[in-house]
Structures are given as C-alpha cells and as structure tokens.
C-alpha cells in the first residue's frame, strides 16, 4: 500500500498492520471484482434502456401534490420498474413505508379469508412473523382467517420437494419465497434455484401465486426472479433499488392482477393506482435506480472483502470467501456478544454521519431479542448504506451489508477489524 494512503488510514485510526492485512486480501480479489463490474455494466444498461424507452423527461422528476391524479413521473417510474423486472405492471410508492409494509401489502391484498399462504423455504424474515400471525399480532393474516403453512429447507440447504408437494392443498393460494437469508444462517437462493422452485410449485398447482421477497437481491445477478417465473417481486427502496438516494419507499412488480390488488389495498377500492401524490420525491427514485447497479456492486465487493478478511482470521462466514453471491448480506459468526458489539462500533466509526456515537443493543419493534445496529447514514435506517446489525442471541452473528462506494465499504471493514484488535478479539 502506498505511503500516502497508509498515512490517511492511520489518521482514521487504522494501524499499518491492519491496513496491510486488508490490502493483501483486496489484491487477491481483483478477478472477482472484475466479474462484479461486468454484472453492474449489464444492469446499468438494463436500467438506462428502461429510462430511455419510457421517455423519462425533466417534468417526471418533479411530481404532484394533493390527490396526485395524472402524476406523469409516478406512472413512468412504475413503467420503468415493470420493464426492468419484465413484468406487466409495478407499484412503486413513497406511501409504501418500508420492505415489511410492501410485503404485508402484497400478501394482504392477494389473499382472501379461507386461503392459505405457504413458505417452502423455512421461516420468513422476523418482521413477517407478525404480518402472518406466526407470532400473534393485531391485524395479522391469521386474524383475517388466512392460514399459514411452512416447509423447512433440508439440512443440506436444499428444497424438500416431497414436503412441498404434500403441503400444497386446495386452500394454497400464494407461495412466499424469500431470496435472501435475512437473520438466518441458511444460504441465499440464487435466481436459478428460485426458478426451479417456482416451476415445481406451478407443476403441482398452476394457478398458485408465487411471490418473491426480493430484499437485498436486486441487481446482484443479471436476471431477477420474475425472469424465471415468479408472479411478483417485492422490495424496499432503502435497500438496493433506491441506490442510496431514495429516502423512503417500496415496490411490488408483477402480474397486472397482483399489482392491481396491491394498489387497491394501498389506497382504496375504486382508487387504486390513480392517486398517491409523489410530492417532490421522484427525482431521488429515478436517480437512485440509475445508480443502483454500481452501488449494489460496491456493496457486493465490500461483503466479499469482509468474508475473506474474517474467514482468514478463523471466524465462520456465510457466504464463505469463495462461493457465488446472490444478495449483498454477509453474516459473520463471532460466538460472543462483545465481538458483535465491537464489530458494530467499528462500522459506526467509519460512517459519514453520526460517526462519533456508540451503538448499543435495544429492543426493536418486530424483533424478539435486543438488536444492535450500526448505521451512520444519510437516509435513516438505510441498509444499502454501510450498516451492520446483529440480534444479541446465540450464535452471536453479525449481519453486515451495504457500502455506497467500495472505498468506503473497505474502510468500514478495516475499522471493524481494528475495533476487534483493540478489544483483543483478534490477536495478531
Ligand atoms: C429488510 C428485509 C425485509 C423487511 O424490510 P424493512 O424495510 O426492514 O421493513 C424483509 N425481508 C428481507 C429478506 C429483508 O432483508
């Protein structure tokens, strides 16, 4: 590493030994990073072509107030999303408050009392337990008489084909497939695997709706779940597709009927997609989407860098240092609470905003154990920005994601490592 840079890192609290260790790892990753850049290049063109095809104009960046009738920008943005995901329609709104809301909306609007929801990939993301009613909650699907069935993945991570076939019955109306691992230590599904699962489900029951929780997966590959048969993809704009610029929002892209159902539920029967003022927010949605392929690439590089660093130091990392990637999340199992907290302090100290504060574990709505979160973000809670979180419960794993730029992501990981050196968890 050149002297100038080494001095800069020292000013940021990173000892030369830590910086050199990181540099050696980074130099081994050049080929892999080149592949990530290729995917980003492809996706950049996919996004650009969708913007151009829909003739997005300067007027689209402004938006409406009040009812928001005839909001040209909103309509074009939704058409752009539909083109990118190769779907009939899309709903992309600042009124969708977060990823959980987008998923709840897709589920509640496409399921009716007496029908059943099936997860063939094990337990869904923590916050969905209350949406579904796995943990009793006001307003859950269970309260509306919608039942839930679950088939776990096999111990080797594969699909339990027999179990899934047996679980599909006359009530099964919607199947939810979570692409990313979330707070679990299973592997993330590739788009190809999701395609195999969807084909199988449709072969058992052709009219079942296959929905994919696409959180953290967008633009990691050149294809998306809707390219391999999924009826609906759902995600958050303060993750990948917002490119770090969208300050709020969620999306649902899919079959016309699925999206329509969601729109009538989001606003009102009779109104659907026709209302919903975009206020002044659309510029960030368009520009964030435009940046998303390269921002996602930066986050991926950061995650791979972290995996290689911590695997080399003897910690268990998921995905491991060499396996292929299908989302931007990196899990690192430390086995003790103080290491999770130390890692998060390092990430926080690298932040552009609030770098001086110390993150501590707290009880968050929707989660069943105290969670520590490190995030010094421009957009509060945004996890496409450099961020880490970990529930304070065994196996004491930290889930790390984001990095709007690769140099910043790299710094964050070096700060986390230095923090662990400082508290004696890592001993050279
Ligand atoms: C983040 C996430 C959610 C929920 O999104 P929020 O915006 O935090 O509500 C759901 N599923 C998965 C897999 C996620 O990563």
């Amino acid at each position: 590493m050149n002297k100038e840079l080494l001095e800069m890192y020292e000013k940021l609290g990173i000892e030369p030994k830590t910086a050199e260790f990181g540099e050696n790892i980074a130099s081994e990753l050049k080929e892999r990073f080149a592949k990530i850049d290729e995917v980003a290049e492809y996706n950049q063109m996919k996004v650009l072509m969708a913007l151009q095809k829909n003739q997005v104009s300067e007027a689209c960046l402004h938006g409406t107030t009040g009812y928001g009738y005839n909001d040209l920008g909103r309509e074009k943005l939704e058409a752009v999303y539909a083109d990118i995901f190769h779907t009939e329609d899309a709903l992309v709104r600042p009124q969708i408050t977060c990823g959980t809301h987008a998923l709840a909306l897709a589920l509640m609007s496409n399921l009716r009392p007496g029908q059943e929801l099936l997860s063939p990939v094990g337990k869904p993301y923590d916050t969905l337990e209350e949406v579904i009613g796995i943990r009793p909650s006001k307003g859950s699907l269970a309260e509306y008489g919608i039942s839930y069935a679950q088939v776990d993945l096999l111990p080797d991570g594969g699909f339990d084909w027999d179990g899934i076939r047996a679980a599909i019955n006359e009530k099964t109306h919607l199947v939810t497939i979570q692409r990313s691992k979330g707070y679990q230590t299973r592997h993330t599904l590739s788009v190809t695997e999701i395609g195999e699962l969807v084909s199988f489900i449709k072969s058992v029951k052709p009219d079942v709706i296959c929905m994919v929780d696409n959180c953290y997966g967008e633009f990691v590959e050149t294809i998306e779940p809707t390219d391999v048969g999924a009826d609906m993809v759902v995600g958050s704009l303060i993750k990948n597709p917002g490119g770090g610029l969208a300050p709020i929002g969620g999306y649902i892209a899919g079959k016309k009927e699925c999206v329509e159902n969601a729109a009538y539920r989001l606003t009102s029967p009779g109104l659907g997609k026709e209302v919903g003022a975009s206020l002044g927010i659309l510029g960030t949605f368009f520009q964030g989407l435009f940046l998303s392929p390269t921002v996602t690439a930066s986050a991926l590089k950061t995650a791979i860098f972290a995996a290689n660093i911590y695997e080399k130091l003897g910690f268990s990392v998921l995905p491991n240092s060499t396996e292929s990637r299908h989302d931007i999340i990196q899990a690192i199992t430390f086995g003790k609470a103080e290491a999770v907290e130390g890692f998060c302090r390092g990430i926080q100290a690298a932040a552009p905003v609030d770098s001086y504060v110390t993150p501590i574990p707290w009880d968050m709505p929707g989660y069943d154990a105290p969670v520590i979160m490190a995030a010094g973000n421009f957009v509060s809670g945004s996890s496409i920005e450099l961020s880490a979180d970990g529930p304070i419960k065994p196996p004491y794993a930290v889930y790390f994601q984001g990095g709007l730029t690769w140099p910043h992501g790299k710094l964050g990981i070096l700060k986390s490592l230095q923090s662990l050196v400082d508290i004696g968890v890592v001993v050279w």
Side-chain angles (χ1 to χ4, degrees):
M1 183 179 281
N2 78 51
K3 190 161 154 287
E4 224 182 349
L5 201 52
L6 211 55
E7 280 172 14
M8 200 63 157
Y9 275 121
E10 261 195 286
K11 283 183 198 155
L12 283 158
I14 292 162
E15 292 166 358
K17 195 160 181 187
T18 308
E20 296 284 4
F21 181 78
E23 201 51 31
N24 288 337
I25 301 262
S27 65
E28 289 165 11
L29 295 171
K30 290 219 163 72
E31 259 176 57
R32 260 192 105 186
F33 284 11
K35 292 236 159 57
I36 291 171
D37 288 335
E38 262 175 44
V39 173
E41 194 173 341
Y42 180 94
N43 285 327
Q44 182 70 79
M45 286 184 246
K46 178 158 62 167
V47 171
L48 179 69
M49 283 164 68
L51 293 166
Q52 293 181 346
K53 182 191 149 198
N54 288 286
Q55 300 194 326
V56 173
S57 62
E58 198 189 339
C60 297
L61 308 178
H62 300 307
T64 54
T65 57
Y67 292 107
Y69 294 135
N70 303 314
D71 188 317
L72 179 68
R74 183 189 71 212
E75 286 163 12
K76 294 238 171 174
L77 180 72
E78 290 179 337
V80 166
Y81 265 73
D83 280 339
I84 289 168
F85 289 105
H86 302 121
T87 55
E88 293 170 3
D89 204 354
L91 188 68
V92 188
R93 302 283 169 126
Q95 289 85 7
I96 301 177
T97 56
C98 61
T100 304
H101 185 192
L103 289 156
L105 182 62
L107 292 171
M108 292 178 165
S109 61
N110 281 287
L111 284 157
R112 296 286 178 273
Q115 295 178 334
E116 188 159 280
L117 168 68
L118 168 68
S119 170
V121 296
K123 190 181 89 62
Y125 193 76
D126 289 39
T127 57
L128 285 189
E129 291 186 13
E130 283 166 297
V131 172
I132 295 167
I134 300 171
R135 275 186 284 141
S137 175
K138 283 210 188 306
S140 69
L141 292 173
E143 273 199 350
Y144 285 88
I146 295 157
S147 56
Y148 172 69
Q150 177 177 315
V151 179
D152 290 337
L153 295 171
L154 295 172
D156 70 358
F159 298 124
D160 179 359
W161 300 115
D162 293 337
I164 295 169
R165 188 187 293 105
I168 296 173
N169 59 53
E170 67 292 346
K171 290 199 304 178
T172 311
H173 185 69
L174 197 153
V175 170
T176 179
I177 301 166
Q178 184 179 309
R179 178 171 174 180
S180 170
K181 70 179 90 49
Y183 280 151
Q184 289 174 70
T185 42
R186 65 150 162 104
H187 78 292
T188 287
L189 304 177
S190 69
V191 174
T192 303
E193 284 175 294
I194 290 172
E196 286 162 8
L197 181 57
V198 170
S199 300
F200 177 78
I201 289 160
K202 299 261 181 191
S203 77
V204 179
K205 189 168 183 183
D207 60 348
V208 83
I209 298 168
C210 291
M211 179 190 94
V212 174
D213 174 352
N214 210 24
C215 282
Y216 292 127
E218 300 92 348
F219 301 127
V220 171
E221 300 186 42
T222 55
I223 50 171
E224 298 289 341
T226 39
D227 292 318
V228 294
D231 300 297
M232 229 188 331
V233 278
V234 181
S236 163
L237 298 196
I238 63 167
K239 295 178 180 174
N240 308 16
L245 290 185
I248 192 170
Y251 76 90
I252 297 171
K255 291 260 160 67
K256 191 158 188 49
E257 200 188 330
C258 297
V259 173
E260 252 173 14
N261 281 336
Y264 287 123
R265 176 78 189 218
L266 175 67
T267 63
S268 157
L271 300 181
K273 291 183 80 180
E274 303 303 316
V275 296
S278 54
L279 307 175
I281 222 168
L282 288 178
T284 66
F285 283 18
F286 279 114
Q287 195 178 357
L289 179 64
F290 176 72
L291 293 177
S292 175
T294 50
V295 167
T296 301
S298 298
L300 262 181
K301 289 175 186 174
T302 304
I304 291 170
F305 181 61
N308 279 269
I309 293 243
Y310 285 103
E311 189 178 81
K312 194 150 215 161
L313 293 169
F315 296 101
S316 144
V317 294
L318 190 77
N320 71 26
S321 62
T322 54
E323 74 189 88
S324 69
R325 299 268 160 169
H326 308 288
D327 69 7
I328 63 166
I329 302 195
Q330 181 63 47
I332 306 163
T333 302
F334 286 112
K336 43 186 169 182
E338 64 266 32
V340 170
E341 292 177 33
F343 180 96
C344 288
R345 281 197 300 275
I347 296 296
Q348 186 75 37
V353 177
D354 289 339
S355 62
Y356 55 89
V357 305
T358 306
I360 50 166
W362 60 296
D363 287 311
M364 278 184 53
Y367 297 87
D368 65 356
V371 180
I372 183 166
M373 299 208 156
N377 293 348
F378 294 107
V379 172
S380 179
S382 163
S383 47
I384 187 61
E385 296 184 51
L386 188 69
S387 52
D389 35 50
I392 303 297
K393 61 180 181 186
Y396 299 103
V398 71
Y399 296 80
F400 166 84
Q401 68 273 311
L404 294 181
T405 71
W406 155 236
H408 182 242
K410 181 179 175 186
L411 171 73
I413 297 303
L414 292 175
K415 285 292 278 183
S416 75
L417 176 56
Q418 186 64 53
S419 170
L420 295 181
V421 170
D422 293 345
I423 62 171
V425 170
V426 170
V427 185
W428 299 118

